Amino acid sequence: MKQITHWINGQTWVGDAKRRGKIFDPATGQQTGEVDFATNAEVEAAVAAAAAAFPAWRATSLAKRTTALFKLRELLATHVDEVAAILTSEHGKVTNDAAGEVARGLEVVEFACGIAQLLKGEFTENASTGVNVHSLRQPLGVVAGITPFNFPAMVPLWMFPLAIACGNTFVLKPSERDPSASNFLAELVAEAGIPNGVFNVVHGDKEAVDRILTHPGIAAVSFVGSTAVARYIYETAAHEGKRVQALGGAKNHMVVMPDADMGDAAEAAVSAGFGSAGERCMAASVLVAVGGCGDELVERIQARVARLTVGDGVNADSEMGPLVTVEHRDRVASYIGIGEAEGAKIAIDGRNHDVKGAPGGYWLGPSLIDEVSVDMRVYTDEIFGPVLSIVRVDSLDAALELIERNGYGNGAAIFTNDGGAAQRFETEVAAGMVGINVAIPVPVSYYSFGGWNDSLFGDLHIYGADGVQFYTRGKAVTSRWQNIGQHHASLAFPNATASEKARDESEG
Ligand code: NAD
């Protein structure tokens, strides 16, 4: 049984854990370890280590920070398979999907390697006579990240590489359900030569989170998780005067127009609906069939799912693994019955799918629920599992209206061969990330990731240029190095209506 504990000030921190969580292998249902839950003491220790490391780290040259980030990039690239294996063993996702997760996180490290370019300020010469103005972006101090179970490597990597590249120090509180990847990342950070205390990990649950939210030594909080918790994080941390970005849940619509290539659309719906067992915030969970293309989509999806291998993620032929916990599997499975009771048609029942895996695993095959209407819970709730609903509508207008009214606004996709329809969709759809013939439009690291409405609380999206803005604060400097010693007091502001000569005189 592995024992996972905190990582503080560059080393494993064996505290006096009063509470612990259990870690399971979702493919077998066996407990494989325990994770210590932080109390105030461990959060204090992590924040103290991060605060102590901050002055020297923010003073470290961009050249040295960049060198360390390049090293981290190399280490991560070398260890992709090990990180992927950890993800599969605790989350359950299949190994090639887990490797893809690490690759998407690695992209953000690569983006952070360009921090010298990203932090460049502005300069204006001679704003007034002999007066120059320039701007700086400076780190905030100690910042924190709180992350969900479904991307135990990628979501922390969305946050900390850029935060530390900007000169901050970091405290991560990962999901207690699959905590090991964070410690592995912490070891790589140390091996990359990033000083002790710059990156710290505290494990735990709400108790640790609440201390982070109210800790006066933490300047900003990045959160990714469910909408209810995101709203709570946003409100609590903002009330404490912190900068906050809180990314929440989703109900992503994939619209299929009648002119789309139906083969492509059906394949994309299967990948986006059932990849990672539907436990992706950008998973397609509602397929919107426009203008009578629903029957063909259902038939094609049924044919593909009949050949889809559900099994232990470590097996190379598994396309979909188990769900993360037994409770989550049971909750997701219950929606098939709920949909049926609400009058929808179960076109594929995942409870009957053959599974190549141990009997104790948290299995559920892909499900397709047809003839779903917007008042049904299978439509309104975020199910977060391999359950895809189909809503049939007559027009693009109706599809856009559905998305507008849904409440979430993470991702939305359209499949079409009509450029006009695609352009209208891009302009009008109420979502932060849009795919055109791309079912999972997660932006590359040099754009930013974020949804609208109940999918994000805060102003700035995560990583990319928004990430640099989030993890820095601006400063504008006005300076004069000419005519020193010739200052004449004037109590008036420089006056826009006065002549240049008068202004020069008033500024001395
Ligand atoms: P979650 O909200 O249950 O947990 C997220 C984090 O918050 C964890 O670290 C957890 O320990 C902590 N937490 C849980 N309950 C808390 C509480 N009451 N008070 C304080 N902290 C609490 O989410 P999850 O189940 O781990 O992840 C799945 C959810 O995350 C889904 O809703 C999914 O859509 C969302 N998600 C969103 C994005 C995005 O980018 N928008 C990305 C990934 C996941």
Side-chain angles (χ1 to χ4, degrees):
M1 291 267 277
K2 59 189 165 192
Q3 300 290 330
I4 302 298
T5 191
H6 320 288
W7 179 273
I8 298 174
N9 208 23
Q11 55 187 307
T12 301
W13 181 277
V14 185
D16 173 23
K18 295 186 179 60
R19 292 191 306 128
R20 292 193 171 87
K22 292 180 178 172
I23 306 168
F24 294 93
D25 178 349
T28 63
Q30 298 295 311
Q31 186 182 349
T32 55
E34 278 187 333
V35 53
D36 289 353
F37 280 6
T39 58
N40 275 353
E42 288 84 15
V43 176
E44 283 300 333
V47 176
F54 176 64
W57 181 243
R58 71 159 288 183
T60 300
S61 70
L62 286 171
K64 285 187 180 151
R65 278 188 231 159
T66 305
T67 301
L69 285 161
F70 269 105
K71 177 86 175 140
L72 178 62
R73 192 254 165 229
E74 287 314 303
L75 286 166
L76 252 178
T78 313
H79 292 284
V80 169
D81 293 346
E82 276 165 273
V83 182
I86 293 171
L87 303 182
T88 300
S89 71
E90 294 183 0
H91 174 285
K93 63 180 69 179
V94 299
T95 304
N96 65 358
D97 186 40
E101 168 178 347
V102 184
R104 295 309 305 266
L106 193 58
E107 269 183 26
V108 182
V109 184
E110 288 167 353
F111 179 72
C113 287
I115 194 64
Q117 171 72 13
L118 297 165
L119 281 183
K120 271 176 18 190
E122 304 152 303
F123 187 88
T124 301
E125 184 187 45
N126 222 21
S128 189
T129 307
V131 174
N132 298 335
V133 183
H134 68 275
S135 67
L136 309 171
R137 295 215 64 92
Q138 296 189 320
L140 307 175
V142 180
V143 299
I146 301 160
T147 54
F149 82 83
N150 66 321
F151 286 110
M154 183 183 78
V155 172
L157 286 165
W158 281 358
M159 300 174 180
F160 80 80
L162 208 45
I164 65 177
C166 291
N168 302 286
T169 55
F170 202 91
V171 177
L172 172 67
K173 204 304 283 172
S175 171
E176 62 276 38
R177 290 185 238 172
D178 39 23
S180 300
S182 298
N183 285 31
F184 193 88
L185 293 176
E187 286 177 28
L188 297 187
V189 167
E191 203 179 328
I194 293 168
N196 294 345
V198 172
F199 179 66
N200 308 276
V201 183
V202 289
H203 293 286
D205 58 0
K206 181 171 168 47
E207 184 176 345
V209 171
D210 283 343
R211 186 61 192 129
I212 287 170
L213 299 182
T214 55
H215 199 297
I218 293 176
V221 177
S222 299
F223 172 86
V224 175
S226 58
T227 289
V229 183
R231 189 188 292 273
Y232 167 74
I233 301 280
Y234 183 73
E235 290 175 356
T236 312
H239 184 259
E240 296 291 325
K242 300 186 196 312
R243 187 177 288 200
V244 199
Q245 53 181 183
L247 282 68
K251 194 83 184 176
N252 304 309
H253 292 55
M254 174 177 153
V255 176
V256 183
M257 299 299 287
D259 59 68
D261 183 303
M262 287 300 143
D264 268 12
E267 291 288 324
V270 170
S271 325
F274 308 132
S276 196
E279 294 168 327
R280 290 182 183 142
C281 60
M282 288 292 275
S285 50
V286 182
L287 197 54
V288 185
V290 181
C293 66
D295 288 347
E296 187 178 350
L297 279 175
V298 170
E299 275 168 33
R300 286 178 179 270
I301 293 171
Q302 281 171 326
R304 179 64 184 87
V305 168
R307 293 182 278 115
L308 195 152
T309 308
V310 176
D312 192 325
V314 297
N315 297 332
D317 63 341
S318 295
E319 295 174 275
M320 193 183 110
L323 277 85
V324 69
T325 59
V326 68
E327 295 81 10
H328 187 57
R329 191 272 314 275
D330 292 348
R331 179 183 166 276
V332 172
S334 75
Y335 275 97
I336 304 165
I338 291 171
E340 209 165 16
E342 287 177 320
K345 191 170 145 198
I346 309 304
I348 305 175
D349 189 336
R351 293 170 298 192
N352 304 329
H353 200 97
D354 274 346
V355 171
K356 283 187 174 176
Y362 311 141
W363 307 110
L364 181 66
S367 295
L368 187 64
I369 308 189
D370 198 3
E371 294 172 20
V372 168
S373 56
V374 295
D375 52 342
M376 294 179 183
R377 281 183 58 203
V378 283
Y379 179 77
T380 54
D381 295 2
E382 184 187 35
I383 300 173
F384 216 57
V387 178
L388 184 58
S389 296
I390 302 201
V391 178
R392 295 163 183 248
V393 298
D394 292 336
S395 62
L396 179 57
D397 287 299
L400 285 164
E401 195 179 326
L402 263 185
I403 299 171
E404 172 90 46
R405 289 194 174 176
N406 176 255
Y408 294 105
N410 220 34
I414 187 168
F415 277 68
T416 184
N417 275 309
D418 176 349
Q423 198 170 25
R424 227 193 112 196
F425 187 79
E426 167 186 335
T427 307
E428 295 182 24
V429 72
M433 294 168 283
V434 179
I436 296 172
N437 296 320
V438 172
I440 306 189
V442 174
V444 287
S445 63
Y446 39 97
Y447 285 77
S448 299
F449 180 110
W452 286 11
N453 304 329
D454 283 353
S455 294
L456 186 142
F457 303 94
D459 309 290
L460 292 168
H461 290 191
I462 212 159
Y463 66 74
D466 274 22
V468 177
Q469 289 279 319
F470 183 79
Y471 290 124
T472 55
R473 52 186 168 177
K475 192 177 264 181
V477 181
T478 304
S479 57
R480 179 169 65 82
W481 289 102
Q482 293 178 24
N483 305 329
I484 304 286
Q486 296 174 31
H487 189 84
H488 302 294
S490 166
L491 275 63
F493 255 134
N495 188 336
T497 59
S499 67
E500 176 73 14
K501 184 168 175 294
R503 195 182 313 155
D504 286 351
E505 280 167 3
S506 77
E507 288 166 357

